């Protein structure tokens, strides 16, 4: 069974109110964080349920690698 559910991309951000940023001499401040490929729900026992290849290897995850997870944080600051 190769069925799966994957959270591919999520991002959360918050713009700090001007009443707080102006005290610091900042015109606009937005902080954010997110992630890619955070989890995959599946009963598949191979490396990646999104198997690929040509017609001779269809449905076989030969040479494929697990999906890389990434978590990131950042800030946009306008002075």
């Amino acid at each position: 069974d190769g069925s799966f559910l994957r959270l591919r991309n999520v991002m959360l951000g918050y713009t700090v109110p001007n009443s707080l940023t102006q005290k610091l001499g900042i015109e606009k401040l937005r902080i954010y964080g997110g992630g890619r490929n955070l989890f995959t729900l599946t009963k598949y026992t191979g490396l990646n349920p999104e198997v690929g290849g040509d017609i001779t290897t269809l449905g076989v995850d030969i040479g494929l690698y697990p999906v890389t997870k990434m978590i990131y944080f950042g800030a946009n600051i306008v002075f």
Side-chain angles (χ1 to χ4, degrees), residues 2-76:
S3 60
F4 67 97
L5 174 69
R6 178 174 287 157
L7 180 58
R8 283 199 187 273
N9 194 9
V10 65
M11 178 192 252
L12 297 172
Y14 178 72
T15 301
V16 179
N18 287 339
S19 59
L20 296 175
T21 59
Q22 288 177 348
K23 294 176 184 177
L24 301 172
I26 298 172
E27 185 178 327
K28 186 175 182 180
L29 173 62
R30 181 175 184 270
I31 54 175
Y32 62 89
R36 292 187 181 164
N37 300 316
L38 295 177
F39 68 85
T40 302
L41 301 176
T42 184
K43 292 181 182 180
Y44 183 72
T45 58
L47 296 175
N48 185 354
E50 288 186 82
V51 294
D54 60 21
I55 193 69
T56 61
T57 61
L58 194 59
V60 180
D61 58 359
I62 296 173
L64 295 179
Y65 298 96
V67 177
T68 304
K69 295 178 184 178
M70 179 181 7
I71 297 175
Y72 55 89
F73 301 95
N76 294 334

